[in-house]
Amino acid sequence: MIIRAAAPEDHASIAAVVEAAFGRPDEARIVDGVRAEGAELVELVAEDAGEIIGHVLFSRMSVSPPHFVAALGPLAVAPRRQNRGAGTALCRAGIGACRELGAEVVVVLGHPAYYPRFGFSHAAAAKLASPYAARSAFMALALTDGALDEPLKVGYPAAFG
């Protein structure tokens, strides 16, 4: 398995993986919408034997006062390939790429039992104002020291609805 940057020729395969992983087309539409907005920061695929088996998208959030905050999601792995490390590899590579781009924080609205393995926590998101802030699934990871010390208002790209 290799982790690599997504390419335009991967879009149909990505949509199929995302839809299969979530069992509906909504998240695949979000991926397309984020691309259409130009809000994608990092988009990676997991490929095995020439087949795309996983995908992750990190997008730029709107933030007030201005800070560089990335949103992780959606993360998808083909159902028959789940629980074999592709999602973990995609997340680790994507977080690293966000760090290299200079992102200060990564935010995720995801499974509270899954994302803490990467350092995300609901407590770290305590100073982030968002419509999702009360949910335990709303978590953050500081990539730079002090990045979560001041209150920030964060917003997802319009594609998230």
Side-chain angles (χ1 to χ4, degrees):
M1 177 181 71
I2 63 166
I3 304 298
R4 64 170 176 80
E9 60 269 18
D10 299 326
H11 290 183
S13 296
I14 289 168
V17 166
V18 173
E19 189 168 336
F22 286 93
R24 61 185 188 200
D26 301 10
E27 287 76 9
R29 287 188 200 121
I30 289 171
V31 172
D32 289 340
V34 168
R35 286 188 201 121
E37 287 178 61
E40 74 276 14
L41 290 171
V42 175
E43 186 175 10
L44 303 173
V45 294
E47 184 179 329
D48 190 26
E51 177 188 5
I52 292 177
I53 62 164
H55 171 263
V56 69
L57 179 67
F58 292 78
S59 53
R60 183 178 290 275
M61 298 189 86
S62 60
V63 185
S64 180
H67 283 272
F68 188 175
V69 179
L72 186 169
L75 166 66
V77 176
R80 63 184 175 73
R81 298 300 299 263
Q82 291 176 2
N83 301 309
R84 296 185 189 170
T88 296
L90 284 163
C91 280
R92 291 196 192 288
I95 292 166
C98 287
R99 183 177 275 116
E100 288 177 18
L101 288 172
E104 300 167 72
V105 175
V106 178
V107 172
V108 67
L109 184 62
H111 199 286
Y114 183 77
Y115 289 97
R117 73 183 70 188
F118 307 107
F120 288 92
S121 74
H122 182 66
K127 291 190 177 181
L128 299 178
S130 163
Y132 308 106
R135 296 184 186 182
S136 63
F138 186 72
M139 296 173 274
L141 168 66
L143 299 182
T144 60
D145 290 339
L148 291 167
D149 289 349
E150 68 176 292
L152 302 173
K153 182 178 180 182
V154 296
Y156 282 86
F160 282 87

